[in-house]
Amino acid sequence: MTMLDDRTTADTTWPTAYPQGYAVVDVETTGLARDDRIVSAAVYRLDARGEVEDHWYTLVNPRRDPGPIWIHGLTSEMLSDAPLFEDIADEFAERLADRVLVAHNAIFDWQMIAREYARASSAAPVRQRLCTIALSKELNLPLPNHKLESLAAHYGVVQQRAHHALDDARVLAEAFRPSLHAAARDGVRLPLLECRPLTEWSDSPARPRVGYQASYGGGGSWRASRKLTPSPYPNPGRFEDGKPLKQGMRVAFSGDTSVDRELLEDRAVEAGLHVATSVSRLTSLLVTNDPDSATSKTVKAKAFGTPVVDEAAFTQLLRDVAPAGEK
């Protein structure tokens, strides 16, 4: 294997299978649900080796309450004169075109972007994404957790304004470059995932119906069946209250969720969990907001003694999933 370093790399030694360009993205939003909106967005365009080409930032008027001001610091007054998403969609698309979208917890940023383009009757020109959380796991980086600040500290990158889209994108771009070079040096296959654009959108809130699940197309549509990548890690057993989730745990979902089910499932898969379509004696955890419902999954969970948590608790647990084999 040809050894690469972070200083210089000849064209003939750089992995030919690696992408030719990246768009490091961060978006700040009004919340996490399917009807939440983007309030600011930033893109750092990088070349094939992770070198910065340029950067771009914009505020976005969400046409609604800005949500957690204490996180992103953007008030209604600050956003009132900002452009609407449809006004910046073309320029945003130009920054993303023909590049791999890179983000920290990339499924979230991608879904928020895809929804905004669907609302604007368009589609983002993105076909693949790369999550830096997944890449740090592939590289076995000795991080205490999977927060951006921990990845930044590992590479000596200084954060100036956490949860400001432009600074978060800068920090991630600076941390992604050495990660990319480490992956190339060690022959690591990049954890690239497909980005599927939304083809339709409804702004009406989804209405819970028996046998139905809120989906990308709005209320009243069946959830499309899809294949999720199985976890490569062995099942470590059941989740224990007070302890972290572990890679390889089998997680099942039941009932309506405030965040798109697909988003929760993809986040679980990217964290190294196995998403199960049913509950069995091997299921580590059931996630449901209605544990007293009589769905087949909740009934089986009670019969098997499977641990149950709600969506909010599961979202918190996803932040720090323990590596496979950790005691």
Side-chain angles (χ1 to χ4, degrees):
M1 178 175 61
T2 302
M3 299 302 289
L4 309 178
D5 61 32
D6 226 16
R7 294 166 295 174
T8 183
T9 306
D11 288 349
T12 54
T13 59
W14 191 261
T16 57
Y18 277 23
Q20 295 304 301
Y22 305 88
V24 177
V25 173
D26 186 76
V27 296
E28 296 300 319
T29 67
T30 62
L32 303 176
R34 66 179 296 278
D35 58 344
D36 276 302
R37 307 296 301 269
I38 290 175
V39 294
S40 64
V43 181
Y44 268 74
R45 289 196 292 191
L46 313 181
D47 66 14
R49 288 169 177 71
E51 299 291 347
V52 175
E53 295 178 331
D54 58 31
H55 64 268
W56 172 81
Y57 170 75
T58 184
L59 296 177
V60 181
N61 185 340
R63 292 187 280 198
R64 55 163 288 176
D65 183 277
I69 297 172
W70 58 92
I71 294 178
H72 53 61
L74 299 174
T75 65
S76 295
E77 291 73 21
M78 296 168 67
L79 297 171
S80 61
D81 293 328
L84 303 177
F85 186 85
E86 50 264 39
D87 296 329
I88 57 93
D90 289 345
E91 188 171 6
F92 199 0
E94 181 183 337
R95 303 280 169 174
L96 301 174
D98 302 319
R99 296 171 185 266
V100 170
L101 184 150
V102 177
H104 204 65
N105 189 21
I107 180 60
F108 173 75
D109 294 81
W110 163 244
Q111 294 291 2
M112 295 302 299
I113 292 168
R115 291 189 194 108
E116 291 287 8
Y117 273 97
R119 290 187 185 96
S121 301
S122 184
V126 178
R127 295 296 170 262
Q128 289 183 307
R129 67 179 184 270
L130 187 156
C131 180
T132 47
I133 295 176
L135 180 57
S136 68
K137 291 177 180 177
E138 291 291 335
L139 295 173
N140 294 313
L141 299 183
L143 305 178
N145 53 52
H146 300 300
K147 296 178 180 179
L148 177 58
E149 61 191 54
S150 297
L151 181 64
H154 177 76
Y155 287 117
V157 180
V158 178
Q159 281 188 299
Q160 297 173 351
R161 296 182 63 186
H163 298 297
H164 184 283
L166 183 60
D167 195 60
D168 279 355
R170 174 193 63 81
V171 168
L172 189 58
E174 292 184 20
F176 174 63
R177 179 177 178 273
S179 291
L180 178 64
H181 280 252
R185 180 195 64 218
D186 297 338
V188 173
R189 183 178 179 181
L190 297 181
L192 301 175
L193 293 175
E194 179 187 5
C195 287
R196 296 178 298 165
L198 308 187
T199 56
E200 60 182 42
W201 180 260
S202 170
D203 269 323
S204 59
R207 289 186 240 171
R209 296 173 60 188
V210 176
Y212 285 81
Q213 164 65 35
S215 187
Y216 295 148
S221 59
W222 289 101
R223 290 182 67 237
S225 64
R226 61 191 188 127
K227 252 187 179 177
L228 290 168
T229 304
S231 173
Y233 310 107
N235 185 355
R238 289 185 170 178
F239 166 74
E240 296 180 43
D241 189 32
K243 294 185 178 181
L245 292 169
K246 293 182 181 179
Q247 290 180 327
M249 282 187 169
R250 297 177 65 90
V251 178
F253 296 87
S254 178
D256 291 323
T257 52
S258 61
V259 176
D260 277 329
R261 174 75 69 82
E262 287 89 346
L263 173 57
L264 287 175
E265 290 176 342
D266 284 345
R267 288 181 65 187
V269 170
E270 290 187 355
L273 304 175
H274 178 91
V275 174
T277 57
S278 61
V279 172
S280 71
R281 296 183 187 279
L282 298 177
T283 304
S284 306
L285 181 69
L286 175 66
V287 180
T288 178
N289 290 325
D290 189 5
D292 296 323
S293 64
T295 66
S296 61
K297 291 178 183 177
T298 56
V299 170
K300 287 182 179 179
K302 290 177 181 177
F304 297 143
T306 304
V308 177
V309 300
D310 63 18
E311 178 187 355
F314 180 69
T315 301
Q316 291 293 323
L317 289 167
L318 271 181
R319 294 181 176 181
D320 295 298
V321 177
E326 185 173 285
K327 300 275 184 170

